[in-house]
Amino acid sequence: QVQLVESGGGLVQAGGSLRLSCAASGSIFRLNAMGWYRQAAGKERELVAVISSGGSTNYADSVKDRFTISGDTAKNTVYLQMNSLEPEDTAVYYCNADLIGSRGQRSIYWGKGTLVTVSS
């Protein structure tokens, strides 16, 4: 089994910064990619940013130039540095992992989510 543990959410004023972390642990053979998604109240879950095992990144247009995703492969950990936060960034942020398990199966895992609230 694999667990994803997120941390770093909280309340911040508009224009401020937060850093989210997500650590993957368990029966992992190889991480293909890790990423962050978010879901605001009354809206569907959407991609925020993703990073592949090779270091390639992809961002939602709404967060480009404000958010930076990075990874520590040795620790199976992904980070999301969020700067210039806006009230529209308020959401529950979920960590996602696309990985190969110890038995060779490809699986997708989700964290439980961490709440980010940006006040105006």
Side-chain angles (χ1 to χ4, degrees):
Q1 193 59 282
V2 174
Q3 297 80 38
L4 301 181
V5 178
E6 301 132 327
S7 62
L11 173 64
V12 64
Q13 289 187 333
S17 299
L18 282 175
R19 188 190 193 210
L20 305 183
S21 300
C22 173
S25 62
S27 302
I28 302 170
F29 175 72
R30 185 181 72 241
L31 279 167
N32 293 325
M34 293 186 75
W36 291 93
Y37 289 70
R38 68 186 181 186
Q39 187 167 18
K43 295 186 177 181
E44 295 186 352
R45 190 173 299 188
E46 63 176 1
L47 172 71
V48 176
V50 63
I51 184 168
S52 72
S53 58
S56 299
T57 58
N58 189 37
Y59 294 91
D61 289 342
S62 59
V63 307
K64 281 181 181 177
D65 301 324
R66 298 190 297 123
F67 291 8
T68 302
I69 190 169
S70 61
D72 185 334
T73 55
K75 296 181 179 180
N76 287 342
T77 299
V78 65
Y79 306 96
L80 185 68
Q81 178 65 45
M82 305 185 293
N83 299 328
S84 302
L85 282 161
E86 303 168 352
E88 294 74 22
D89 295 317
T90 295
V92 178
Y93 284 69
Y94 296 91
C95 179
N96 168 280
D98 175 349
L99 57 85
I100 305 297
S102 57
R103 296 181 179 181
Q105 78 285 9
R106 182 179 181 182
S107 301
I108 304 293
Y109 287 89
W110 292 91
K112 294 182 178 180
T114 184
L115 177 62
V116 172
T117 304
V118 184
S119 63
S120 57

